[in-house]
Amino acid sequence: MRSADTVAELVRRQWGDHRIGLRDEHHTLTHHQVAAGAAARAALLVDLMPPVPGGEPHLGILLDNTPEYPLWLSAAALAGAAVAGINPTRRGAELARDIRHTACRVLVTQRAHLPLLDGLALPGLRILVTDTEAYRELLAPYGDARPGDAQLGPVHPDSRFLLSFTSGSTGAPKAALCSQGRLAAAGASLVSHFSVGPDDVHYICMPMFHGNAVIADWAPALTAGAGVALRARFSASRFLPDVRRFGATYFTYVGRAVQYLLATPPGPDDRAHPLRLGFGTEAGAVDAARFRERFGVPLVEGYGSSEGGAAIQRTPDTPTGAIGRAAPGDDLAVISSDTGEECPPARFSPAGALLNATEAVGELVNRGRSPFEGYWRNPEAEAARLRGGWYWTGDLFYRDTDGFLYFAGRTDDRLRVDSENLAAAMIEHILARWERVAGVAVYAIPDPVAGDQVMAALALRDGEVFDPAAFAAFLAAQRDLGTKMPPRFVRVMRELPLTATNKIHRVALRRAAFRCGDPVWWRPAQGAPYEPMTPGAMSALLGEYTAHGRTPP
């Protein structure tokens, strides 16, 4: 089949296809019904949002993963509108800022999220509440609409389609732009790469306000004519039952979703399912191997941000732990933050341990033609991304002598210990080998004198307790754990704090540091045994900060 130039064309192709196209716990729609529902919503949208000089055709969606979400995505594509996915974990002024910043004229939501909007200043915003009789009555007159009947303006590959908020670890999140053409091309690329076909079923359990679910899950399903199954919110306990019920063959993940799946009780039927592939980021080599061993499903770690500025593709010869090589057309380099020059290639021990992390890890930069389409009304952020004519990803990588790239974390997660640069993700990958932990987060806290110190939060497996001597022995046995990498502080938690996209909430961890309600162990001196952080020890430590004129965490 000829590739599509726009998402609208992909939606139109569903017309007349009476196979099952969209399901959740309560609904089953054919592809044809999806196209018809999208056409009805597009016609309603055009009536609600007539062209206005200077008025942006932007639609906000504040929904869980219900069928209304992909229906409104499809409707926006047909109408020539753009969708801003609104994060329901945002509150108050931050939530209002996201809606106002993206110039939304209509907001689609559900009754459960109405309390989030109480008292917010949102002048001129039309709100549609999908699970109400009023909404059904409003939509009813448009039931005979066909795809293409109603448009706000011409639809072409450059038409703005997504305003996807970045995670926003610091400051207000940025809204990355994605056109219909870029999303259609991304879907086609994944279909080709993973051999997605019309008999596949894509399970979307990651939130659809995030780029991962739309770009890596919904778009390839739409491109291939595959089915889509929805889970309103990610649930580790419901994952396998859903997969079996819907016949799911493909899913995407981000952050710690894989760790939560591995933490569920093992069962004799863990491999009794139709899944053939998981695609995502940040699972880590250790947990990816555990997942494949337990569930029989390979996890493919990919790389490609919502901004679309750089992409890495996995090939059959990609080594364990690597993401892959630069995608065609990308000229990717790993650049040192200290010298501005390209980092030397990684050197590995016979066991595969990285031996020269300090010099090999740098920021991934695309020196070629970048598909980055910019941020909505944020020229400063765009300029920071496009310094010197290159696209700077904000992510740390290292490269082997064959050109394979390995993820090493975010630039925001870099630590500087005794004048040595360290990547938090590198330390996390090592600590994740300890059989007692279910999750690990490594982050910097200020050193009382200069630079940073390493702190780790450990979420232990059920039934495990923190044994400081056993942990110290484990650290000593890791040959690739550099002398500056062992955590001075260890926070023992029941579970790690997560953002709405299942990524570790590092800002919250850094903010609390060692002054938290959980047990904290620390080494008073390098190489000393771990001791409990007592009130007296904390008072003495805080005194060190004061003595050196540094602000304590």
Side-chain angles (χ1 to χ4, degrees):
M1 181 181 292
R2 182 183 64 84
S3 61
D5 294 326
T6 64
V7 178
E9 182 178 342
L10 293 172
V11 175
R12 289 195 298 269
R13 287 180 181 179
Q14 296 182 99
W15 188 266
D17 185 346
H18 298 285
R19 298 174 302 117
I20 294 176
L22 180 62
R23 295 180 66 188
D24 72 351
E25 287 185 285
H26 309 292
H27 308 86
T28 298
L29 300 176
T30 66
H31 289 284
H32 178 82
Q33 288 172 319
V34 170
R41 287 159 179 79
L44 169 61
L45 185 62
V46 169
D47 281 352
L48 293 179
M49 192 188 289
V52 175
E56 299 296 343
H58 291 180
L59 164 74
I61 301 183
L62 177 62
L63 292 170
D64 293 336
N65 289 359
T66 69
E68 289 287 346
Y69 211 121
L71 284 169
W72 275 102
L73 282 173
S74 300
L78 292 175
V83 170
I86 306 300
N87 183 344
T89 68
R90 302 270 283 174
R91 294 291 185 271
E94 291 183 342
L95 178 62
R97 177 264 174 196
D98 292 349
I99 297 169
R100 291 196 303 265
H101 173 67
T102 46
C104 293
R105 296 166 62 189
V106 174
L107 179 71
V108 180
T109 189
Q110 61 197 79
R111 285 183 295 175
H113 293 327
L114 285 178
L116 301 179
L117 304 174
D118 286 348
L120 300 187
L122 300 169
L125 182 70
R126 178 68 182 266
I127 298 176
L128 306 182
V129 186
T130 59
D131 49 351
T132 63
E133 186 60 33
Y135 173 77
R136 287 185 284 272
E137 292 176 356
L138 186 66
L139 195 58
Y142 303 93
D144 293 332
R146 296 171 66 96
D149 283 355
Q151 293 182 332
L152 291 163
V155 176
H156 46 74
D158 291 336
S159 296
R160 187 184 309 132
F161 182 55
L162 296 178
L163 296 92
S164 297
F165 283 109
T166 61
S167 297
S169 58
T170 57
K174 302 177 288 292
L177 302 177
C178 178
S179 64
Q180 289 211 26
R182 182 160 78 83
L183 187 63
S189 176
L190 289 171
V191 164
S192 173
H193 200 65
F194 294 134
S195 301
V196 179
D199 293 331
D200 279 303
V201 175
H202 286 211
Y203 180 55
I204 302 182
C205 55
M206 295 293 100
M208 292 194 74
F209 66 78
H210 189 253
N212 167 274
V214 174
I215 297 171
D217 217 342
W218 181 70
L222 187 65
T223 301
V228 168
L230 300 174
R231 163 59 55 180
R233 297 183 182 184
F234 173 73
S235 167
S237 64
R238 292 300 308 166
F239 181 82
L240 276 183
D242 278 353
V243 163
R244 296 182 184 118
R245 173 183 180 180
F246 298 129
T249 58
Y250 171 101
F251 78 104
T252 61
Y253 60 88
V254 293
R256 297 307 177 205
V258 168
Q259 285 79 6
Y260 280 110
L261 293 172
L262 289 170
T264 58
D269 58 348
D270 279 346
R271 290 185 170 224
H273 56 72
L275 271 182
R276 65 179 181 85
L277 179 69
F279 175 55
T281 60
E282 300 181 35
V286 172
D287 285 326
R290 290 173 179 167
F291 194 89
R292 183 164 193 166
E293 179 180 357
R294 176 173 167 183
F295 299 108
V297 180
L299 298 183
V300 177
E301 287 279 291
Y303 178 81
S305 63
S306 301
E307 290 94 330
I312 299 172
Q313 289 187 352
R314 187 175 184 86
T315 54
D317 58 340
T318 300
T320 300
I323 303 297
R325 288 190 176 103
D330 283 356
D331 177 16
L332 303 186
V334 178
I335 303 297
S336 168
S337 59
D338 292 329
T339 67
E341 303 293 328
E342 193 164 356
C343 295
R347 291 185 288 106
F348 300 96
S349 72
L354 179 62
L355 299 176
N356 62 333
T358 300
E359 61 177 1
V361 174
E363 184 171 353
L364 186 70
V365 174
N366 189 356
R367 302 178 297 193
R369 180 181 177 277
S370 169
F372 175 56
E373 295 177 307
Y375 294 115
W376 173 251
R377 292 180 177 172
N378 198 333
E380 296 82 6
E382 283 188 28
R385 278 277 183 250
L386 299 173
R387 302 192 306 275
W390 294 352
Y391 179 84
W392 296 75
T393 67
D395 292 319
L396 300 174
F397 275 79
Y398 54 97
R399 187 200 300 263
D400 66 20
T401 54
D402 295 318
F404 289 103
L405 291 156
Y406 300 71
F407 182 69
R410 297 279 303 164
T411 52
D412 291 342
D413 298 328
R414 171 161 269 184
L415 306 84
R416 191 163 181 85
V417 180
D418 294 341
S419 301
E420 188 171 312
N421 289 324
L422 305 175
M426 300 292 299
I427 306 173
E428 288 176 353
H429 292 162
I430 297 172
L431 299 189
R433 299 170 191 160
W434 197 32
E435 66 278 2
R436 300 192 186 195
V437 298
V440 178
V442 170
Y443 45 100
I445 63 170
D447 182 274
V449 180
D452 302 316
Q453 293 187 349
V454 182
M455 185 164 184
L458 305 181
L460 301 181
R461 298 185 181 279
D462 289 344
E464 296 286 357
V465 296
F466 182 72
D467 182 334
F471 182 64
F474 161 78
L475 296 177
Q478 309 309 304
R479 295 187 176 182
D480 51 343
L481 189 71
T483 58
K484 309 298 184 183
M485 294 182 177
R488 186 183 186 192
F489 302 92
V490 178
R491 178 178 177 179
V492 181
M493 310 182 70
R494 182 176 180 181
E495 58 184 27
L496 299 176
L498 300 177
T499 66
T501 55
N502 287 300
K503 296 183 179 181
I504 293 173
H505 200 326
R506 298 179 192 277
V507 174
L509 290 171
R510 284 194 290 263
R511 187 182 298 124
F514 47 74
R515 294 193 276 189
C516 60
D518 297 309
V520 174
W521 298 74
W522 76 306
R523 281 174 157 167
Q526 186 174 5
Y530 282 101
E531 301 177 359
M533 174 67 77
T534 63
M538 185 182 299
S539 178
L541 180 60
L542 293 175
E544 290 186 41
Y545 287 93
T546 301
H548 291 93
R550 297 208 80 192
T551 302

